[in-house]
Amino acid sequence: MTFRKITEEPSLYSDLEKKPVRELLECMNEEDRKVASAVREAIPRIEELVERIIARMRGGGRMFYLGAGTSGRLGVLDASEVPPTFGMPPTRVIGLIAGGDRALRSPVEHAEDDAEKGWQELLEHNVNDRDTVIGIAASGATPYVTGALRAARAHGILTACITANPGSPMAAEADIPIEIVVGPEFVTGSSRMKSGTAQKMALNMISTSVMIKLGRVEGNRMVNMQLSNRKLIDRGTRMIVDRLGLDSEHAKSLLMLHGSVKKAIEAYGRE
């Protein structure tokens, strides 16, 4: 497949600065409507990746996200939300961004152009053949990501990627390429828009379905969530009330004693 940078093609809209605010918002919303359909087209590949990740994580493997700029930030965001949402150790899903933590807030010049750095950072985490490495780049051509996938694959590590361009260099280095082609951006080349939204949706689907299948959700409840604020404590208390029929005070005391909804319910069952 010929590599075509659709993410760099001209917007379907022109003279944006002359449009009234309402029209700008409606046009952006119309473009965003295309994203879910594009993600749906990629579900077979996402399913394949999820199934393989589940098996590897059950055997002690980890999941790594690598990206630069918006893509890197989205990977770090998804990884950082796994522990509080599902109660998993932060060492099981790890997000790496070109330029390090400083790049989460400010661009780090030329960080994404280093084709060796991504692999070096994976080695610092002792990456191995039980792990899965997922590269994220709207363009599909970011050296930091592509170089890391190439090296990981050469070492027998499962590789995947999420990109918005078909037939990219990054996809060529991935065992499972996920190509979510959303078309030109509303602001030409601004892949933080539709491409970024598509990446966020795919990452949500991957991490959430993996965690569900690893037993971190029961029914439709986050029974392993971390109790890091009052809202989550209240939510956990209501879960226990609904499940066990206890009064709120008793349910809350059980929750705080055992640290999670799941542990509290299990402990009550042994009483």
Side-chain angles (χ1 to χ4, degrees):
M1 184 181 294
T2 302
F3 179 39
R4 175 185 168 196
K5 276 196 174 184
I6 295 174
T7 52
E8 294 295 327
E9 291 183 356
S11 172
L12 302 178
Y13 306 83
S14 58
D15 299 321
L16 299 185
E17 72 280 8
K18 298 177 183 178
K19 296 184 185 298
V21 169
R22 180 63 174 264
E23 186 176 355
L24 287 172
L25 299 175
E26 289 178 343
C27 290
M28 281 188 271
N29 180 249
E30 182 60 31
E31 287 302 296
D32 286 342
R33 286 162 59 90
K34 301 175 182 179
V35 177
S37 295
V39 172
R40 185 174 183 84
E41 291 294 318
I43 284 179
R45 288 284 192 168
I46 297 173
E47 178 189 21
E48 179 185 359
L49 175 60
V50 167
E51 294 283 8
R52 295 184 69 177
I53 291 172
I54 292 166
R56 299 167 84 82
M57 291 193 76
R58 281 177 175 158
R62 298 165 295 171
M63 183 163 57
F64 288 89
Y65 298 136
L66 281 97
T70 297
S71 300
R73 294 182 189 103
L74 289 170
V76 171
L77 172 63
D78 195 76
S80 68
E81 290 179 339
V82 167
T85 305
F86 302 107
M88 288 289 279
T91 53
R92 300 300 305 279
V93 181
I94 299 168
L96 301 176
I97 181 171
D101 286 353
R102 183 161 67 91
L104 293 173
R105 293 183 179 274
S106 304
V108 177
E109 191 172 0
H110 299 302
E112 69 176 59
D113 299 326
D114 188 339
E116 308 297 327
K117 186 64 173 176
W119 176 242
Q120 292 170 6
E121 292 176 354
L122 286 170
L123 289 177
E124 291 171 6
H125 288 272
N126 298 311
V127 67
N128 61 74
D129 59 9
R130 293 182 300 172
D131 298 328
T132 304
V133 176
I134 303 172
I136 314 167
S139 69
T142 305
Y144 171 84
V145 180
T146 303
L149 290 182
R150 181 182 303 116
R153 198 177 190 186
H155 285 79
I157 299 165
L158 177 64
T159 59
C161 72
I162 303 171
T163 180
N165 288 323
S168 67
M170 184 175 73
E173 304 297 346
D175 296 305
I176 306 175
I178 298 170
E179 298 172 330
I180 307 174
V181 183
V182 294
E185 296 289 359
F186 180 71
V187 175
T188 299
S190 181
S191 56
R192 59 180 283 273
M193 302 186 77
K194 287 190 299 181
S195 298
T197 301
Q199 291 170 347
K200 181 67 168 68
M201 291 176 69
L203 291 169
N204 281 348
M205 293 165 74
I206 292 166
S207 59
T208 302
S209 54
V210 167
M211 291 300 121
I212 290 171
K213 289 300 185 180
L214 291 180
R216 311 308 294 183
V217 172
E218 291 184 4
N220 57 18
R221 306 294 183 92
M222 297 185 292
V223 294
N224 290 286
M225 65 184 179
Q226 293 178 354
L227 306 176
S228 55
N229 57 50
R230 183 181 299 172
K231 176 189 72 175
L232 297 180
I233 293 171
D234 289 345
R235 182 186 298 165
T237 299
R238 290 196 303 273
M239 289 184 198
I240 295 172
V241 169
D242 292 344
R243 180 71 174 271
L244 301 178
L246 303 176
D247 62 71
S248 293
E249 185 176 343
H250 189 181
K252 184 176 180 179
S253 66
L254 272 176
L255 178 66
M256 301 312 294
L257 175 63
H258 297 286
S260 77
V261 173
K262 185 171 185 174
K263 290 178 180 177
I265 292 172
E266 289 174 347
Y268 184 81
R270 292 193 296 267
E271 292 179 358

